PDB file of all heavy atoms in Angstrom:
ATOM      1  N   TRP A 779      25.562  -3.257 -25.769  1.00  0.00           N
ATOM      2  CA  TRP A 779      24.284  -3.829 -25.327  1.00  0.00           C
ATOM      3  C   TRP A 779      23.295  -3.905 -26.485  1.00  0.00           C
ATOM      4  O   TRP A 779      22.588  -4.912 -26.652  1.00  0.00           O
ATOM      5  CB  TRP A 779      23.690  -2.993 -24.194  1.00  0.00           C
ATOM      6  CG  TRP A 779      24.099  -3.462 -22.842  1.00  0.00           C
ATOM      7  CD1 TRP A 779      24.946  -2.861 -21.968  1.00  0.00           C
ATOM      8  CD2 TRP A 779      23.672  -4.666 -22.195  1.00  0.00           C
ATOM      9  NE1 TRP A 779      25.085  -3.605 -20.824  1.00  0.00           N
ATOM     10  CE2 TRP A 779      24.313  -4.721 -20.929  1.00  0.00           C
ATOM     11  CE3 TRP A 779      22.818  -5.702 -22.552  1.00  0.00           C
ATOM     12  CZ2 TRP A 779      24.114  -5.772 -20.038  1.00  0.00           C
ATOM     13  CZ3 TRP A 779      22.614  -6.758 -21.660  1.00  0.00           C
ATOM     14  CH2 TRP A 779      23.262  -6.778 -20.421  1.00  0.00           C
ATOM     15  N   LYS A 780      23.255  -2.867 -27.318  1.00  0.00           N
ATOM     16  CA  LYS A 780      22.311  -2.866 -28.451  1.00  0.00           C
ATOM     17  C   LYS A 780      22.648  -3.976 -29.434  1.00  0.00           C
ATOM     18  O   LYS A 780      21.752  -4.662 -29.949  1.00  0.00           O
ATOM     19  CB  LYS A 780      22.326  -1.498 -29.133  1.00  0.00           C
ATOM     20  CG  LYS A 780      21.646  -0.411 -28.317  1.00  0.00           C
ATOM     21  CD  LYS A 780      21.700   0.946 -29.025  1.00  0.00           C
ATOM     22  CE  LYS A 780      20.960   2.004 -28.207  1.00  0.00           C
ATOM     23  NZ  LYS A 780      21.038   3.351 -28.843  1.00  0.00           N
ATOM     24  N   ARG A 781      23.952  -4.165 -29.698  1.00  0.00           N
ATOM     25  CA  ARG A 781      24.348  -5.242 -30.614  1.00  0.00           C
ATOM     26  C   ARG A 781      24.013  -6.611 -30.021  1.00  0.00           C
ATOM     27  O   ARG A 781      23.555  -7.519 -30.728  1.00  0.00           O
ATOM     28  CB  ARG A 781      25.855  -5.152 -30.907  1.00  0.00           C
ATOM     29  CG  ARG A 781      26.252  -3.985 -31.801  1.00  0.00           C
ATOM     30  CD  ARG A 781      27.647  -4.155 -32.353  1.00  0.00           C
ATOM     31  NE  ARG A 781      28.659  -4.110 -31.310  1.00  0.00           N
ATOM     32  CZ  ARG A 781      29.241  -2.999 -30.869  1.00  0.00           C
ATOM     33  NH1 ARG A 781      28.892  -1.821 -31.381  1.00  0.00           N
ATOM     34  NH2 ARG A 781      30.167  -3.058 -29.943  1.00  0.00           N
ATOM     35  N   ARG A 782      24.219  -6.755 -28.725  1.00  0.00           N
ATOM     36  CA  ARG A 782      23.920  -8.015 -28.040  1.00  0.00           C
ATOM     37  C   ARG A 782      22.426  -8.323 -28.108  1.00  0.00           C
ATOM     38  O   ARG A 782      22.015  -9.458 -28.387  1.00  0.00           O
ATOM     39  CB  ARG A 782      24.386  -7.898 -26.591  1.00  0.00           C
ATOM     40  CG  ARG A 782      24.469  -9.189 -25.821  1.00  0.00           C
ATOM     41  CD  ARG A 782      25.058  -8.912 -24.437  1.00  0.00           C
ATOM     42  NE  ARG A 782      26.394  -8.346 -24.508  1.00  0.00           N
ATOM     43  CZ  ARG A 782      26.943  -7.577 -23.571  1.00  0.00           C
ATOM     44  NH1 ARG A 782      26.256  -7.271 -22.480  1.00  0.00           N
ATOM     45  NH2 ARG A 782      28.155  -7.120 -23.719  1.00  0.00           N
ATOM     46  N   LEU A 783      21.604  -7.318 -27.841  1.00  0.00           N
ATOM     47  CA  LEU A 783      20.149  -7.508 -27.878  1.00  0.00           C
ATOM     48  C   LEU A 783      19.668  -7.842 -29.287  1.00  0.00           C
ATOM     49  O   LEU A 783      18.798  -8.696 -29.476  1.00  0.00           O
ATOM     50  CB  LEU A 783      19.454  -6.236 -27.369  1.00  0.00           C
ATOM     51  CG  LEU A 783      19.566  -5.978 -25.869  1.00  0.00           C
ATOM     52  CD1 LEU A 783      19.172  -4.534 -25.541  1.00  0.00           C
ATOM     53  CD2 LEU A 783      18.694  -6.951 -25.088  1.00  0.00           C
ATOM     54  N   LEU A 784      20.241  -7.162 -30.276  1.00  0.00           N
ATOM     55  CA  LEU A 784      19.856  -7.425 -31.661  1.00  0.00           C
ATOM     56  C   LEU A 784      20.200  -8.858 -32.055  1.00  0.00           C
ATOM     57  O   LEU A 784      19.416  -9.537 -32.732  1.00  0.00           O
ATOM     58  CB  LEU A 784      20.561  -6.433 -32.589  1.00  0.00           C
ATOM     59  CG  LEU A 784      20.059  -6.368 -34.038  1.00  0.00           C
ATOM     60  CD1 LEU A 784      18.581  -5.994 -34.084  1.00  0.00           C
ATOM     61  CD2 LEU A 784      20.881  -5.378 -34.853  1.00  0.00           C
ATOM     62  N   ALA A 785      21.342  -9.338 -31.596  1.00  0.00           N
ATOM     63  CA  ALA A 785      21.739 -10.713 -31.899  1.00  0.00           C
ATOM     64  C   ALA A 785      20.776 -11.705 -31.256  1.00  0.00           C
ATOM     65  O   ALA A 785      20.458 -12.747 -31.844  1.00  0.00           O
ATOM     66  CB  ALA A 785      23.168 -10.956 -31.411  1.00  0.00           C
ATOM     67  N   ILE A 786      20.289 -11.384 -30.055  1.00  0.00           N
ATOM     68  CA  ILE A 786      19.349 -12.277 -29.371  1.00  0.00           C
ATOM     69  C   ILE A 786      18.033 -12.349 -30.134  1.00  0.00           C
ATOM     70  O   ILE A 786      17.526 -13.438 -30.433  1.00  0.00           O
ATOM     71  CB  ILE A 786      19.097 -11.801 -27.922  1.00  0.00           C
ATOM     72  CG1 ILE A 786      20.351 -11.998 -27.058  1.00  0.00           C
ATOM     73  CG2 ILE A 786      17.921 -12.566 -27.305  1.00  0.00           C
ATOM     74  CD1 ILE A 786      20.227 -11.431 -25.658  1.00  0.00           C
ATOM     75  N   VAL A 787      17.469 -11.193 -30.475  1.00  0.00           N
ATOM     76  CA  VAL A 787      16.141 -11.201 -31.096  1.00  0.00           C
ATOM     77  C   VAL A 787      16.182 -11.705 -32.542  1.00  0.00           C
ATOM     78  O   VAL A 787      15.165 -12.117 -33.088  1.00  0.00           O
ATOM     79  CB  VAL A 787      15.489  -9.789 -31.045  1.00  0.00           C
ATOM     80  CG1 VAL A 787      15.266  -9.369 -29.604  1.00  0.00           C
ATOM     81  CG2 VAL A 787      16.306  -8.748 -31.800  1.00  0.00           C
ATOM     82  N   ARG A 788      17.378 -11.699 -33.146  1.00  0.00           N
ATOM     83  CA  ARG A 788      17.521 -12.243 -34.505  1.00  0.00           C
ATOM     84  C   ARG A 788      17.966 -13.701 -34.494  1.00  0.00           C
ATOM     85  O   ARG A 788      18.280 -14.265 -35.545  1.00  0.00           O
ATOM     86  CB  ARG A 788      18.532 -11.407 -35.298  1.00  0.00           C
ATOM     87  CG  ARG A 788      18.003 -10.029 -35.699  1.00  0.00           C
ATOM     88  CD  ARG A 788      19.052  -9.259 -36.479  1.00  0.00           C
ATOM     89  NE  ARG A 788      18.520  -8.013 -37.015  1.00  0.00           N
ATOM     90  CZ  ARG A 788      19.254  -7.104 -37.682  1.00  0.00           C
ATOM     91  NH1 ARG A 788      20.552  -7.320 -37.867  1.00  0.00           N
ATOM     92  NH2 ARG A 788      18.696  -6.008 -38.144  1.00  0.00           N
ATOM     93  N   TYR A 789      18.028 -14.289 -33.320  1.00  0.00           N
ATOM     94  CA  TYR A 789      18.421 -15.692 -33.166  1.00  0.00           C
ATOM     95  C   TYR A 789      19.814 -15.971 -33.720  1.00  0.00           C
ATOM     96  O   TYR A 789      20.071 -17.014 -34.321  1.00  0.00           O
ATOM     97  CB  TYR A 789      17.405 -16.624 -33.849  1.00  0.00           C
ATOM     98  CG  TYR A 789      16.011 -16.513 -33.301  1.00  0.00           C
ATOM     99  CD1 TYR A 789      15.010 -15.877 -34.023  1.00  0.00           C
ATOM    100  CD2 TYR A 789      15.694 -17.041 -32.060  1.00  0.00           C
ATOM    101  CE1 TYR A 789      13.721 -15.771 -33.514  1.00  0.00           C
ATOM    102  CE2 TYR A 789      14.411 -16.942 -31.549  1.00  0.00           C
ATOM    103  CZ  TYR A 789      13.439 -16.296 -32.281  1.00  0.00           C
ATOM    104  OH  TYR A 789      12.164 -16.199 -31.775  1.00  0.00           O
ATOM    105  N   GLU A 790      20.732 -15.019 -33.516  1.00  0.00           N
ATOM    106  CA  GLU A 790      22.092 -15.192 -34.016  1.00  0.00           C
ATOM    107  C   GLU A 790      22.952 -16.018 -33.065  1.00  0.00           C
ATOM    108  O   GLU A 790      24.048 -16.456 -33.441  1.00  0.00           O
ATOM    109  CB  GLU A 790      22.744 -13.820 -34.251  1.00  0.00           C
ATOM    110  CG  GLU A 790      22.084 -13.030 -35.374  1.00  0.00           C
ATOM    111  CD  GLU A 790      22.645 -11.626 -35.523  1.00  0.00           C
ATOM    112  OE1 GLU A 790      23.675 -11.334 -34.880  1.00  0.00           O
ATOM    113  OE2 GLU A 790      22.063 -10.831 -36.283  1.00  0.00           O
ATOM    114  N   PHE A 791      22.475 -16.226 -31.833  1.00  0.00           N
ATOM    115  CA  PHE A 791      23.221 -17.035 -30.876  1.00  0.00           C
ATOM    116  C   PHE A 791      22.731 -18.479 -30.932  1.00  0.00           C
ATOM    117  O   PHE A 791      21.546 -18.741 -31.150  1.00  0.00           O
ATOM    118  CB  PHE A 791      23.054 -16.486 -29.455  1.00  0.00           C
ATOM    119  CG  PHE A 791      23.742 -15.173 -29.231  1.00  0.00           C
ATOM    120  CD1 PHE A 791      23.103 -14.157 -28.523  1.00  0.00           C
ATOM    121  CD2 PHE A 791      25.011 -14.949 -29.712  1.00  0.00           C
ATOM    122  CE1 PHE A 791      23.732 -12.944 -28.304  1.00  0.00           C
ATOM    123  CE2 PHE A 791      25.651 -13.733 -29.503  1.00  0.00           C
ATOM    124  CZ  PHE A 791      25.015 -12.729 -28.793  1.00  0.00           C
ATOM    125  N   ALA A 792      23.646 -19.403 -30.680  1.00  0.00           N
ATOM    126  CA  ALA A 792      23.310 -20.823 -30.806  1.00  0.00           C
ATOM    127  C   ALA A 792      22.372 -21.304 -29.696  1.00  0.00           C
ATOM    128  O   ALA A 792      21.448 -22.070 -29.943  1.00  0.00           O
ATOM    129  CB  ALA A 792      24.586 -21.658 -30.811  1.00  0.00           C
ATOM    130  N   ASP A 793      22.610 -20.849 -28.468  1.00  0.00           N
ATOM    131  CA  ASP A 793      21.832 -21.333 -27.320  1.00  0.00           C
ATOM    132  C   ASP A 793      20.535 -20.534 -27.203  1.00  0.00           C
ATOM    133  O   ASP A 793      20.440 -19.570 -26.454  1.00  0.00           O
ATOM    134  CB  ASP A 793      22.670 -21.208 -26.042  1.00  0.00           C
ATOM    135  CG  ASP A 793      22.049 -21.981 -24.882  1.00  0.00           C
ATOM    136  OD1 ASP A 793      20.840 -22.295 -24.966  1.00  0.00           O
ATOM    137  OD2 ASP A 793      22.763 -22.255 -23.904  1.00  0.00           O
ATOM    138  N   TYR A 794      19.522 -20.992 -27.936  1.00  0.00           N
ATOM    139  CA  TYR A 794      18.248 -20.261 -27.988  1.00  0.00           C
ATOM    140  C   TYR A 794      17.603 -20.166 -26.602  1.00  0.00           C
ATOM    141  O   TYR A 794      17.151 -19.095 -26.190  1.00  0.00           O
ATOM    142  CB  TYR A 794      17.297 -20.961 -28.953  1.00  0.00           C
ATOM    143  CG  TYR A 794      15.871 -20.449 -28.872  1.00  0.00           C
ATOM    144  CD1 TYR A 794      15.514 -19.241 -29.454  1.00  0.00           C
ATOM    145  CD2 TYR A 794      14.889 -21.178 -28.196  1.00  0.00           C
ATOM    146  CE1 TYR A 794      14.210 -18.760 -29.374  1.00  0.00           C
ATOM    147  CE2 TYR A 794      13.590 -20.712 -28.103  1.00  0.00           C
ATOM    148  CZ  TYR A 794      13.251 -19.503 -28.693  1.00  0.00           C
ATOM    149  OH  TYR A 794      11.980 -19.033 -28.599  1.00  0.00           O
ATOM    150  N   ALA A 795      17.571 -21.270 -25.874  1.00  0.00           N
ATOM    151  CA  ALA A 795      16.888 -21.292 -24.573  1.00  0.00           C
ATOM    152  C   ALA A 795      17.530 -20.305 -23.604  1.00  0.00           C
ATOM    153  O   ALA A 795      16.836 -19.573 -22.901  1.00  0.00           O
ATOM    154  CB  ALA A 795      16.911 -22.697 -23.996  1.00  0.00           C
ATOM    155  N   LYS A 796      18.874 -20.293 -23.567  1.00  0.00           N
ATOM    156  CA  LYS A 796      19.574 -19.388 -22.646  1.00  0.00           C
ATOM    157  C   LYS A 796      19.309 -17.934 -23.020  1.00  0.00           C
ATOM    158  O   LYS A 796      19.043 -17.096 -22.154  1.00  0.00           O
ATOM    159  CB  LYS A 796      21.071 -19.653 -22.661  1.00  0.00           C
ATOM    160  CG  LYS A 796      21.857 -18.694 -21.766  1.00  0.00           C
ATOM    161  CD  LYS A 796      23.351 -18.875 -21.904  1.00  0.00           C
ATOM    162  CE  LYS A 796      24.090 -17.882 -20.994  1.00  0.00           C
ATOM    163  NZ  LYS A 796      23.776 -16.467 -21.324  1.00  0.00           N
ATOM    164  N   ASN A 797      19.364 -17.632 -24.288  1.00  0.00           N
ATOM    165  CA  ASN A 797      19.188 -16.240 -24.690  1.00  0.00           C
ATOM    166  C   ASN A 797      17.750 -15.774 -24.544  1.00  0.00           C
ATOM    167  O   ASN A 797      17.501 -14.601 -24.264  1.00  0.00           O
ATOM    168  CB  ASN A 797      19.679 -16.065 -26.128  1.00  0.00           C
ATOM    169  CG  ASN A 797      21.189 -16.097 -26.203  1.00  0.00           C
ATOM    170  OD1 ASN A 797      21.866 -15.152 -25.834  1.00  0.00           O
ATOM    171  ND2 ASN A 797      21.736 -17.213 -26.646  1.00  0.00           N
TER     172      ASN A 797
END
Side-chain angles (χ1 to χ4, degrees):
W779 269 109
K780 287 179 178 178
R781 288 195 294 272
R782 194 175 300 154
L783 288 165
L784 192 59
I786 291 174
V787 297
R788 288 180 173 176
Y789 300 106
E790 294 175 10
F791 290 137
D793 193 341
Y794 169 77
K796 177 186 180 300
N797 286 285

